[in-house]
Every structure is written in C-alpha cells, then in structure tokens.
C-alpha cells in the first residue's frame, strides 16, 4: 500500500506575511495520515524551513538546475536545495516547459541532478488540450517519461511522477477520475518495465484538484496523491485535500 503524498505548488505566489499565516494554519490543521509537502518560491525556502521545524510537513523547490555549479546566473543547484533541507524539487512543470522552453532531455537532466544530491524530483508530465483532442495523450506522456527513465537508469524508482494534463491546470477543468486513472495506469506500466520498484512509486495527479474532487481522484488505484496549485494557497482547502488523502 503506497502512502499518499500531497504537494502544494505555490508557484509565484506569496509574501513573508502571507506565507507565515499559511504555514501556521497548516501546522495547526495537521498532522495527517499522508505525506505532505509545500514547494515554495526559492527565496522563501529558508523561512519555510524555520516555520516547519518540528513538523511532519516537508518542503521543496519548484525547479532546480541541471548543472552542478558554476557560471549559471540565476540558477539554483540541487546541492543548494539539499543544503537548505529541501526534500523535493518539482521538475518539468508544464509552465516551465511552455514558458522556458524546457525539453524532455533538460527535464530528465534536472531530475538526475536532484537525485544526485538527495532531493527527490517530482517529474511532471502531461498533454495539452490539442494533443488530447488529437488522441496523442498516451504518446506524449510516454515520450516525456521515457526521457527521464532513460537518463535516470537504475535510479528511476526514486522519483515521484506527477500527471498534470495541461488543459486542467488552473482552469477549473479537472480530468475525471477515470480519465486520470487511465493515464496513471499507462505510466505505471511504463515504470514497471523500467524498475522493480514501480509498485512502490507514487504517481500524483495535478490539475484543478480541490477539496470536493480530491476524494474521487485519490480513490483511484493508481493515483497516489496530488500536486496542488491554487488550492494549496488556502489553509482550509489544502487541509481538506490532505485529509482526503489520509483515507
Ligand atoms: P492547479 O495547479 O491546482 O492550480 O490547477 C496545479 C499545478 O500546476 O501544479
């Protein structure tokens, strides 16, 4: 039985004051019988670490560099993330693939860099609306995941995968539990062919997960939790999703 994982992706939201309130609220609402983490803007990681000291809530970053160190202005290495206590780094989020032209191979290299420094990559895959309508969903997510599997090799079993249909992110449109499960099953099968740890790996669903649709999504056999954007910014909403994951 896989323990569920719920990860808040704050994206480019927050302030010192707002974060303090949100984190204090979560501390009060938890703990839950699920693994819970928040991936915050990098500039707030250190303060988040302090605020979460002594709690079971983990924290992480929303991206990491594929490079070890050096002349890469503006980049943050996975060694630095590990240094400040990050457990996770999201890599390959569709917003980075779209707005920063991140290729499948760059995403794979970032995942590898994260693992090399003890940071668990949360690798996002997902199709656009046009790709779904063209019947390409399976081919797209398999291509995205294949690049990561090929690059990670025997470390494949150590990542977390997040299926995030691009058309469902921030739109209020959610994949139905059946639609999501169908893709998760495809991803699980692909992982199974690559690693004997596939049955223990967590595949999260992301895309307009809210308190009211979380129970149905999390009830699917291959959905092991969620990557939560908008609803992770409100204590009550995020806490309700964490509670749904605990059942
Ligand atoms: P959303 O975002 O929950 O606001 O749709 C999810 C994500 O992009 O990780």
């Amino acid at each position: 039985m896989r323990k569920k994982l719920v990860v808040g992706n704050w994206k480019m939201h927050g302030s010192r004051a707002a974060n303090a309130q949100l984190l204090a609220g979560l501390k009060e609402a938890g703990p839950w019988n699920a693994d819970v983490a928040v991936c915050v803007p990098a500039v707030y990681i250190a303060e988040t670490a302090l605020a979460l000291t002594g709690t079971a809530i983990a924290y992480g970053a929303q991206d990491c560099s594929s490079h070890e160190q050096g002349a890469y202005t503006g980049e943050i290495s996975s060694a630095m993330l590990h240094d400040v206590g990050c457990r996770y780094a999201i890599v390959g989020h569709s917003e980075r693939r779209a707005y920063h032209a991140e290729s499948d191979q760059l995403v794979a290299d970032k995942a590898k860099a994260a693992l090399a420094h003890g940071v668990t990559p949360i690798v996002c895959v997902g199709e656009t609306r046009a790709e779904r309508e063209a019947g390409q969903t399976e081919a797209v997510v398999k291509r995205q995941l294949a690049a990561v599997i090929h690059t990670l090799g025997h470390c494949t079993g150590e990542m977390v995968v997040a299926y995030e249909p691009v058309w469902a992110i921030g739109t209020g449109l959610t994949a139905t539990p059946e639609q999501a499960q169908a893709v998760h099953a495809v991803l699980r099968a692909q992982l199974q062919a690559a690693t004997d740890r596939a049955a223990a790996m967590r595949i999260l669903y992301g895309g307009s997960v809210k308190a009211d649709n979380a129970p149905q999504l999390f009830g699917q056999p291959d959905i092991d939790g969620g990557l939560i954007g908008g609803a992770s910014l409100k204590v009550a909403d995020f806490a309700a999703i964490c509670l749904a994951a605990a059942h």
Side-chain angles (χ1 to χ4, degrees), residues 9 11 93 95 164 168-171 206-210 227-231:
N9 173 12
K11 308 194 180 186
H93 190 281
E95 286 151 17
E164 296 208 309
I169 295 175
T171 57
S208 298
V209 177
K210 308 287 177 213
L227 183 55
I228 319 298

Side-chain angles (χ1 to χ4, degrees), residues 35-51:
D35 290 332
V36 174
V38 288
C39 288
V40 308
V43 71
Y44 295 129
I45 289 172
E47 243 173 19
T48 299
L50 273 181

Side-chain angles (χ1 to χ4, degrees), residues 88-223:
Y88 300 102
I90 298 170
V91 299
H93 190 281
S94 62
E95 286 151 17
R96 294 209 59 89
R97 290 180 191 261
Y99 308 146
H100 301 270
E102 293 197 3
S103 66
D104 294 341
Q105 189 55 51
L106 178 62
V107 172
D109 291 341
K110 288 182 171 195
K112 187 174 182 180
L115 275 179
H117 292 281
V119 176
T120 300
I122 300 173
V123 178
C124 301
V125 299
E127 82 287 3
T128 63
R129 180 196 287 267
E131 288 164 340
R132 174 162 283 264
E133 284 168 359
Q136 294 168 347
T137 298
E138 210 173 293
V140 169
V141 298
K142 280 168 101 170
R143 186 202 74 220
Q144 292 171 332
L145 187 59
V148 184
I149 289 172
H150 180 74
T151 299
L152 294 190
H154 68 276
C155 295
T156 292
E158 293 169 38
M159 69 175 153
V160 171
V161 175
Y163 169 55
E164 296 208 309
V166 178
W167 49 272
I169 295 175
T171 57
L173 295 172
T174 322
T176 64
E178 295 72 25
Q179 280 175 324
Q181 166 58 29
V183 178
H184 281 232
V186 165
L187 297 172
R188 180 90 57 201
Q190 193 177 359
L191 292 169
Q192 248 143 13
T195 169
D196 55 12
R197 297 199 61 233
M201 289 177 69
R202 292 185 288 196
I203 307 177
L204 313 183
Y205 170 78
S208 298
V209 177
K210 308 287 177 213
D212 58 355
N213 59 26
Q216 287 74 35
L217 287 162
F218 296 167
Q220 299 298 311
D222 287 298
I223 300 183

